[in-house]
């Protein structure tokens, strides 16, 4: 992995905490992330990607959209904390999207896939890793198709990636939550964040 071994984000009382919310696309992650941001002192880390923007996505809000050359340059200059290739595109967490939030004592939410989650856990063992799974692959297909923003080829690719992610999830994540009912899932995730040592008070 091409990244710095420096670990400046230890979970002291002054620093925020890294929380990974992972799961296949279409599982409802963005609604869950929005609910966490509304009810806890947390901010979303905006990643860099070489994927083209989808309709409705905004530069600097959904992602920083960059070309491969720029992405590679960011890896080599140490600007990227973790990265992975997914569906033929590169995705990575920017140091600059994480460090200022943690330093301000707020928690950072990362929406990243399994390879990135593993890298985060290896470098930041105190990070909390949550995987949101669909009840089954058919439900996921229906949700992805219904969203209407993903081409059919891409859906097939994403479903096979989802299958693999779901198989691996119990070995990678601290918690696996099955999203059968979105409200119930949100409350389960908030319970996880509010319990134990993760210091995410709900206000
Ligand atoms: P999408 O193209 O649907 O926005 O994202 C595809 C996948 O890339 C999702 O599983 C998402 O969690 C993951 N992803 C988004 N940003 C990052 C990142 O910074 N690092 C890693 N490793 N995965 C990411």
């Amino acid at each position: 992995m091409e990244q710095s071994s420096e670990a400046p984000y230890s979970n002291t009382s002054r620093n925020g905490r890294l929380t990974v919310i992972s799961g296949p696309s279409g599982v409802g992650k963005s609604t869950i992330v929005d609910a966490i941001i509304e009810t806890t002192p947390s901010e979303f880390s905006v990643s860099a990607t070489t994927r083209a923007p989808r309709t409705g996505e905004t530069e600097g809000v959904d992602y920083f959209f960059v070309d491969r050359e720029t992405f590679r340059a960011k890896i080599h200059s140490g600007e990227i904390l973790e990265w992975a290739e997914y569906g033929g595109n590169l995705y990575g967490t920017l140091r600059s999207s994480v460090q200022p939030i943690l330093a301000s004592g707020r928690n950072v939410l990362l929406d990243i896939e399994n390879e990135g989650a593993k890298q985060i856990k290896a470098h930041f063992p105190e990070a909390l890793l949550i995987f949101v799974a669909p009840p089954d692959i058919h439900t996921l297909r229906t949700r992805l198709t219904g969203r209407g923003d993903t081409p059919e080829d891409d859906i097939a690719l994403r479903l096979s990636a989802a299958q693999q992610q779901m198989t691996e999830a119990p070995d990678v994540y601290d918690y696996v939550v099955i999203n059968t009912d979105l409200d119930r899932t949100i409350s389960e995730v908030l319970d996880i964040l509010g319990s134990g040592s993760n210091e995410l008070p709900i206000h």
Side-chain angles (χ1 to χ4, degrees):
M1 187 172 47
E2 302 163 74
Q3 69 174 72
S4 159
S5 59
E6 178 197 354
Y9 309 125
S10 63
N11 190 27
T12 69
S13 55
R14 277 174 300 147
N15 280 0
R17 181 181 183 107
L18 280 173
T19 300
V20 173
I21 302 283
S22 191
S25 39
V27 81
K29 270 176 304 178
S30 52
T31 313
I32 295 164
V33 165
D34 289 347
I36 297 171
I37 287 171
E38 272 173 32
T39 50
T40 68
S42 308
E43 289 181 41
F44 181 66
S45 157
V46 179
S47 294
T49 183
T50 61
R51 163 167 85 59
R54 295 194 190 113
T55 312
E57 286 186 328
T58 307
E59 165 73 14
V61 175
D62 298 286
Y63 284 105
F64 295 102
F65 296 99
V66 298
D67 57 27
R68 275 191 173 249
E69 199 186 330
T70 307
F71 195 101
R72 291 271 167 210
K74 286 183 186 299
I75 294 172
H76 288 295
S77 64
E79 289 172 68
I80 292 196
L81 277 179
E82 65 68 37
W83 66 276
E85 182 149 13
Y86 181 95
N89 294 302
L90 305 179
Y91 294 83
T93 301
L94 294 165
R95 200 174 278 276
S96 58
S97 289
V98 167
Q99 192 165 26
I101 306 172
L102 291 179
S104 76
R106 297 172 70 78
N107 302 295
V108 179
L109 298 174
L110 305 177
D111 169 356
I112 62 178
E113 50 64 77
N114 287 15
E115 294 310 310
K118 290 180 205 169
Q119 293 171 42
I120 290 293
K121 197 66 177 179
H123 285 263
F124 311 103
E126 74 284 4
L128 181 66
L129 270 54
I130 301 174
F131 186 85
V132 183
D136 54 66
I137 205 81
H138 305 292
T139 310
L140 190 66
R141 178 193 297 276
T142 310
R143 287 183 192 163
L144 271 179
T145 312
R147 214 164 66 167
D149 64 357
T150 313
E152 195 55 44
D153 287 4
D154 215 11
I155 289 181
L157 208 122
R158 277 160 192 270
L159 286 174
S160 96
Q163 191 74 68
Q164 198 195 330
Q165 277 180 290
M166 285 154 60
T167 307
E168 259 191 18
D171 296 327
V172 176
Y173 294 86
D174 299 313
Y175 294 89
V176 176
V177 178
I178 314 249
N179 182 20
T180 309
D181 172 85
L182 195 53
D183 287 341
R184 190 181 309 160
T185 302
I186 288 170
S187 108
E188 275 181 52
V189 170
L190 290 176
D191 280 351
I192 293 168
L193 298 183
S195 67
S197 61
N198 61 57
E199 302 177 359
L200 270 171
I202 297 169
H203 51 242

